[in-house]
Amino acid sequence: GFFPLPEYFEHSVVAYPECPWVNSEIEITEKALKCFYYGCLPFPVAGAHINELYEHFGFRTAWHLLPLEHKTFDQELDHRVRYNAAAEALIWLSKNPKILTSDMFQHLIKHNQLAINSFRCEEHATKKLNTFIESKF
């Protein structure tokens, strides 16, 4: 896990199963972080709202390149339906390679590389804990 696989340099998008697979939860793991560092876009296959959650933390995924009709899987709560729709979205990306050389793609890559340098996962958790503690007094 310490060294990047060649895929992070050879491909514009890296699709991978992410943990947890629970809807509306995120664990930002080394798979996504390596994408951000090495200049490709992650395509996490995980629970519902995963792309929305990455965006909440300041990151962009390959989901941002999809047309609206292929973005709906992120809100789908049924795992089977969501995974089938995510596969269709990946097929769309593979059939539309020009999107991976677009200005939007470059913008998303640069955005993530800047965001990773200022990302502090403990900051969000610490603020939530502090709010919780203050609410009890």
Side-chain angles (χ1 to χ4, degrees):
F2 292 113
F3 301 102
L5 298 171
E7 286 81 356
Y8 290 97
F9 301 101
E10 296 168 356
H11 301 284
S12 300
V13 173
V14 175
Y16 55 87
E18 191 57 277
C19 297
W21 287 51
V22 177
N23 292 335
S24 302
E25 288 189 20
I26 188 170
E27 239 179 74
I28 300 179
T29 66
E30 82 286 348
K31 292 173 263 185
L33 295 174
K34 287 177 183 176
C35 287
F36 304 147
Y37 278 119
Y38 300 119
C40 57
L41 288 177
F43 193 107
V45 179
H49 308 289
I50 190 69
N51 295 288
E52 195 176 297
L53 289 165
Y54 271 107
E55 188 169 30
H56 171 77
F57 285 100
F59 298 109
R60 306 298 182 261
T61 63
W63 179 84
H64 288 82
L65 294 173
L66 298 170
L68 291 177
E69 65 268 18
H70 286 292
K71 286 185 167 185
T72 58
F73 73 88
D74 198 49
Q75 285 75 42
E76 177 57 55
L77 299 178
D78 183 296
H79 296 310
R80 277 187 201 192
V81 174
R82 185 175 57 261
Y83 300 147
N84 284 328
E88 290 295 322
L90 281 168
I91 291 168
W92 184 89
L93 282 171
S94 71
K95 289 182 177 181
N96 293 277
K98 287 186 179 183
I99 195 76
L100 303 176
T101 57
S102 68
D103 290 341
M104 174 61 116
F105 175 82
Q106 291 303 320
H107 170 75
L108 295 174
I109 293 297
K110 288 177 185 171
H111 174 89
N112 284 343
Q113 288 177 329
L114 291 171
I116 194 64
N117 289 322
S118 62
F119 178 63
R120 301 290 179 261
C121 60
E122 70 279 358
E123 180 181 348
H124 182 71
T126 303
K127 285 181 181 177
K128 285 193 109 172
L129 179 59
N130 189 54
T131 301
F132 173 76
I133 292 169
E134 286 179 351
S135 73
K136 299 298 177 188
F137 294 104

